[in-house]
């Protein structure tokens, strides 16, 4: 089956590999403003997490929790935020089969309504897109980026 | 439903927007070797098409058709290749529901076997990843990239 869970597992595994990859960088390199995307490497990871969580809470009908980058401006804090929110998101995904994807969702930051399915596709594509940007910045730092391959991964750990 | 077709439609629509975006560039800018990814903007688009087609042919049990970039080194030729192969891929996708995703596939360029589902996820993530790279190169050229948003798109045209 072609299921959303596989893409979430993929994104989370790749994200954790980027967290490990980031350990070789100085705080200055992590926070340096770069051309394209949303700016720095660390802010990109924070932004991916923030966007994923906001959309999932919107699907759940919960009020958006605004997280401020100033409170999470180190690699350890962003990784910890990722881990904490992932537990919550995992519970949602495991309890919401793909069949409920046509339900309509309202969000606080936009007047339109979207289907659950549309939002889940958006979350998946959003992270892969930003990770593509990280891969260019890695090469600019003369470092090999994390592999983006979907095939050949072992997803049993999640 | 969370279906592969939605992601193919998304990728194809975004790809066509990049083809239009590319019209503002000179052939030199399109072919210029850039840092990260597979090199130039035009070669990235060619590579996305080539990889998508090779995997789809592998799923179909067809021999891989090797396309050479030297034969498609203009924007018009790469766009035309994309249009031609898309027709073939569309026929495959429309006739293969998600339920057949667990079938095993052998490929000529690799000794491992993969499931159809794994390959389809791989194709989808592969294009989104490379498009993320294009978006950084666009900003380096001081141009706004094509939007990567999944939400808010009208997919009825495909």
């Amino acid at each position: 089956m072609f299921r959303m869970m596989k893409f979430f597992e993929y994104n989370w595994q790749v994200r954790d590999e980027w967290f490990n990859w980031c350990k070789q960088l100085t705080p200055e390199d992590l926070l340096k403003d770069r051309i394209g995307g949303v700016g720095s490497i660390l802010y990109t990871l924070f932004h991916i997490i923030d966007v994923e969580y906001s959309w999932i809470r919107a699907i759940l009908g919960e009020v958006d929790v605004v997280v401020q980058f100033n409170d999470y401006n180190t690699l350890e804090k962003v990784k910890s935020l990722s881990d904490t929110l992932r537990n919550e998101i995992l519970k949602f995904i495991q309890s919401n089969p793909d069949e409920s994807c046509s339900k309509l969702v309202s969000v606080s930051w936009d007047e339109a309504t979207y289907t659950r399915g549309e939002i889940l596709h958006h979350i998946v594509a959003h992270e892969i897109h930003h990770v593509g940007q990280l891969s260019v910045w890695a090469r600019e730092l003369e470092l090999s980026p994390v592999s983006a391959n979907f095939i050949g991964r072992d997803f049993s750990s999640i």
Side-chain angles (χ1 to χ4, degrees), chain A:
Chain A
M1 283 291 284
F2 192 82
R3 299 184 75 92
M4 65 178 177
M5 188 59 210
K6 277 282 159 235
F7 269 127
F8 277 84
E9 284 179 301
Y10 163 79
N11 271 343
W12 291 346
Q13 194 176 94
V14 172
R15 193 194 299 170
D16 284 345
E17 290 172 12
W18 277 102
F19 278 128
N20 273 329
W21 181 95
C22 282
K23 288 178 186 165
Q24 68 192 304
L25 299 191
T26 61
E28 289 70 32
D29 270 339
L30 283 170
L31 294 167
K32 188 187 164 195
D33 199 29
R34 296 176 195 278
I35 295 174
V38 290
S40 72
I41 291 172
L42 194 62
Y43 185 69
T44 300
L45 290 164
F46 172 83
H47 170 72
I48 287 168
I49 297 160
D50 181 26
V51 165
E52 180 180 72
Y53 189 56
S54 292
W55 282 111
I56 294 288
R57 283 188 69 89
I59 289 179
L60 290 167
E62 310 271 1
V63 177
D64 188 33
V65 173
V66 178
V67 278
Q68 300 287 350
F69 185 56
N70 279 344
D71 298 329
Y72 296 93
N73 55 3
T74 69
L75 183 57
E76 295 67 32
K77 286 181 185 169
V78 177
K79 172 72 168 74
S80 170
L81 181 68
S82 176
D83 291 343
T84 305
L85 301 185
R86 187 176 304 179
N87 282 330
E88 211 173 308
I89 295 166
L90 190 58
K91 258 185 253 170
F92 156 72
I93 291 175
Q94 287 172 338
S95 61
N96 280 270
D98 294 354
E99 289 67 38
S100 60
C101 276
S102 59
K103 279 192 190 161
L104 282 175
V105 175
S106 301
V107 295
S108 60
W109 56 87
D110 184 338
E111 292 197 352
T113 53
Y114 304 101
T115 65
R116 282 186 178 210
E118 198 177 6
I119 292 172
L120 293 169
H121 282 81
H122 181 71
I123 294 171
V124 166
H126 182 260
E127 178 150 0
I128 303 172
H129 181 78
H130 280 297
V131 163
Q133 297 171 335
L134 293 182
S135 76
V136 169
W137 295 339
R139 290 289 182 198
E140 285 171 358
L141 287 162
E142 298 184 354
L143 295 169
S144 294
V146 167
S147 167
N149 274 350
F150 186 97
I151 54 163
R153 288 184 175 269
D154 175 11
F155 291 122
S156 59
S157 59
I158 298 175

